[in-house]
Amino acid sequence: MVKSKLRGGYDVSQVLNRDGTHRHPQSFSGSVAHDAVLVLDPSPGENFGHPVFLFYVDVNVTKKRCLHMNGVYLDECLTLALKSRCQNQLKRWQVGWLPGGTLRGRSITVGRAGRLVERASGGLCVIHFLPLVVGVGDSNLTQKLRCVHGEFATCPQLLPMGSPSLPISSCELNKNTRRCHQQPLATHLSCRLYQTCDHAVLISGWRQQMTFQRHIHNLQRFYRMLRINGFHKDHIKTFFASGGQLPDLENVHPATEKAAIRNHVSYICRKQHCADTLVLYLNSPTRNDGTMLLWDADLKERYSVSELLTDLAGCRATRVLLFVDQSYSGVLSKRLRSSQKHLNVGLLNVTLAGAPCNVIPPLTDGELRKEYQGCQNLPTALWHQKQRQIS
C-alpha cells in the first residue's frame, strides 16, 4: 500500500517527463486538488503494468456530497480514480460498496484475504502505474507518494537512479528528449567470420519509483546463469534503466537507447552464421498491449510487441529463446504462436546452448563446452555452402 501524507492538498499527474515537467496535468478523472491520495497495489511482487487502484481522500465532505461524487463515506470521502482518456471514458459508472466487499459498478472485488482483484469483465480505464502526487503550489513537482506497509507486503527497496547522459547532437531520439550513451554499442564486432556463438540481450527499463533492487537481482541471476552455460561476457548485452555500473555485470547500456537495442537485435538476427542461440530476457514495465516502457511514456522509448517481432522476423539464429519476466506476456506469446516468421522462436528439446537433452550417456561438461557452449568454429565448407544457399 502506498499513500501520501494526509493533509495539505495534493494534485495528481500520470507521469513525469525527464526534465521534471508533467506530461498530462489531468490524466485521471476528477484530477484536482484533494486532501490525500491512496494507492493500493494488489500485486506488489510483479513488475509495474498491472492494475493499481488509486483513491482520492477528501475530509470535511458531507456524506450526501460524498455519495453524489460516487464516493464511499468513511468519516472521510473515498473516491476511486480512473483514467480520463480511455476507451470506456464515456461509459456511465455507478460506484458504491455492496455487501460482501464488492465495489458496485467496478471491475474489482475484495478477496477473502483483503486482496483487490480485477475482474475480467472490464477495467480498461483502471490505472496501471504509480501516479505523480505533488503538493498544491509545488513548482518543483516533488513526489509525495510514499510506501506504507502492514501485514500485506513490505515496501520495495528503491534504487538511487541517475539521469541519463547530457544531450549531444548525434542522439537517436527526438529533439525534445535526445540523449546519447557516451560509449556507443559496437554491434558490428559481435559476429566473426567462420564462427557461430551464443548471444544474449537483457532489457530492464524505466525510472526510479518503478525500478527496485530486485530488478538488479533479476539481471544478476540471469547473467550468472548465462555465464554458467558458456555465454561469453562480450556476447551478453544488458540495457538497464539509465545505465551505469551494475555489480557483477559487464556491457551495461541505458535502456533509453531504443535504437541501439533494436539495431543490435536486428544485426545479430540478420548476420548469417552469427548466432547459434539468441536469448532475450525481458524484465520491464509494460502497457496492457505488451509494449515495454524503456524509460518513460515517450513514444520514442516504448518497445512494442510489433517492433520486437519485426526485429526477430526470419532470424538466422539457430534458435531464439525469449524469457518474458514482465506483465502481459501473453500478448507476445499469442502473436508468436500465430506467426509464420518466427518458427525458430520457442523452447525446443535442447539445452540453452543447443545440446540435445536425451543423449545416452549424457554429455560431459567438457563435451558441452567444446561442442555446444559459447562459440564454435564453423567449417569453411559449411559456411560457403550456406552462402550459396542464400545467394
Side-chain angles (χ1 to χ4, degrees):
M1 178 177 71
V2 283
K3 67 179 182 179
S4 71
K5 295 180 180 179
L6 183 61
R7 295 186 183 274
Y10 295 102
D11 199 357
V12 181
S13 173
Q14 183 178 16
V15 70
L16 280 177
N17 284 322
R18 283 180 302 274
D19 59 3
T21 61
H22 51 294
R23 175 165 294 110
H24 300 306
Q26 297 193 12
S27 298
F28 307 130
S29 58
S31 181
V32 295
H34 298 273
D35 291 300
V37 175
L38 171 69
V39 182
L40 300 179
D41 184 354
S43 306
E46 296 179 6
N47 281 349
F48 278 103
H50 60 269
V52 297
F53 302 102
L54 188 154
F55 297 88
Y56 298 132
V57 181
D58 294 288
V59 300
N60 297 324
V61 175
T62 65
K63 182 176 181 180
K64 182 178 180 181
R65 174 61 180 164
C66 182
L67 295 177
H68 181 74
M69 295 164 55
N70 287 333
V72 178
Y73 188 75
L74 301 171
D75 291 330
E76 292 86 20
C77 186
L78 195 68
T79 310
L80 181 65
L82 296 173
K83 294 182 200 173
S84 59
R85 301 189 182 197
C86 64
Q87 295 177 356
N88 284 352
Q89 72 179 87
L90 298 180
K91 186 173 181 178
R92 180 180 177 86
W93 293 97
Q94 296 295 328
V95 183
W97 293 100
L98 293 176
T102 301
L103 188 61
R104 183 175 69 231
R106 286 285 171 251
S107 58
I108 58 174
T109 60
V110 179
R112 293 181 179 178
R115 181 182 175 96
L116 284 169
V117 181
E118 183 185 20
R119 292 180 183 172
S121 61
L124 294 179
C125 292
V126 298
I127 297 161
H128 292 82
F129 300 98
L130 295 181
L132 171 64
V133 181
V134 300
V136 172
D138 179 9
S139 59
N140 294 324
L141 299 178
T142 304
Q143 173 65 281
K144 296 294 186 179
L145 201 64
R146 297 291 181 266
C147 179
V148 177
H149 68 86
E151 298 179 358
F152 180 63
T154 59
C155 291
Q157 184 178 356
L158 295 176
L159 294 176
M161 302 289 291
S163 298
S165 52
L166 294 176
I168 58 177
S169 59
S170 59
C171 292
E172 81 263 10
L173 301 179
N174 67 7
K175 62 183 179 180
N176 293 324
T177 61
R178 64 175 59 171
R179 70 173 81 98
C180 281
H181 188 247
Q182 294 178 353
Q183 297 178 349
L185 182 61
T187 295
H188 64 282
L189 300 178
S190 300
C191 305
R192 295 183 178 180
L193 193 64
Y194 304 121
Q195 190 179 69
T196 185
C197 299
D198 297 329
H199 291 264
V201 179
L202 285 57
I203 305 174
S204 181
W206 230 26
R207 61 182 305 115
Q208 183 174 359
Q209 198 163 356
M210 307 291 180
T211 307
F212 307 134
Q213 188 66 43
R214 70 169 181 262
H215 294 106
I216 289 184
H217 294 160
N218 290 343
L219 292 173
Q220 290 171 330
R221 286 193 292 265
F222 201 88
Y223 182 89
R224 286 195 294 267
M225 183 274 293
L226 292 173
R227 297 286 285 128
I228 290 172
N229 282 273
F231 283 67
H232 193 277
K233 61 182 181 181
D234 291 340
H235 295 150
I236 304 174
K237 300 294 188 292
T238 301
F239 297 88
F240 175 70
S242 58
Q245 297 296 319
L246 296 181
D248 304 323
L249 271 73
E250 300 187 38
N251 294 310
V252 179
H253 307 269
T256 54
E257 298 184 4
K258 174 181 173 180
I261 297 173
R262 297 195 65 187
N263 288 339
H264 182 69
V265 173
S266 297
Y267 181 83
I268 297 298
C269 272
R270 304 296 173 261
K271 190 72 173 179
Q272 183 69 18
H273 313 301
C274 179
D276 183 32
T277 295
L278 172 61
V279 170
L280 273 72
Y281 175 68
L282 310 179
N283 188 221
S284 297
T286 50
R287 293 162 52 92
N288 57 8
D289 62 357
T291 297
M292 290 179 281
L293 301 180
L294 302 178
W295 184 251
D296 57 23
D298 190 284
L299 290 174
K300 295 290 184 178
E301 294 167 347
R302 301 178 187 177
Y303 196 1
S304 70
V305 170
S306 294
E307 290 172 324
L308 176 61
L309 293 178
T310 297
D311 297 337
L312 294 176
C315 187
R316 291 177 175 177
T318 305
R319 68 197 65 82
V320 179
L321 303 180
L322 296 179
F323 294 82
V324 188
D325 186 11
Q326 58 194 25
S327 300
Y328 304 104
S329 58
V331 177
L332 176 59
S333 177
K334 182 178 180 180
R335 293 279 299 273
L336 284 170
R337 286 196 301 268
S338 62
S339 174
Q340 296 299 313
K341 298 180 179 179
H342 303 86
L343 300 180
N344 61 341
V345 182
L347 183 62
L348 307 179
N349 191 26
V350 293
T351 67
L352 195 67
C357 298
N358 54 357
V359 174
I360 301 177
L363 296 171
T364 66
D365 290 342
E367 289 173 326
L368 286 173
R369 287 192 297 268
K370 180 180 178 181
E371 299 179 26
Y372 296 98
Q373 294 182 346
C375 296
Q376 291 81 43
N377 292 326
L378 195 65
T380 305
L382 178 61
W383 190 86
H384 285 291
Q385 177 184 357
K386 289 189 176 182
Q387 287 294 100
R388 287 195 298 272
Q389 291 174 353
I390 298 173
S391 59

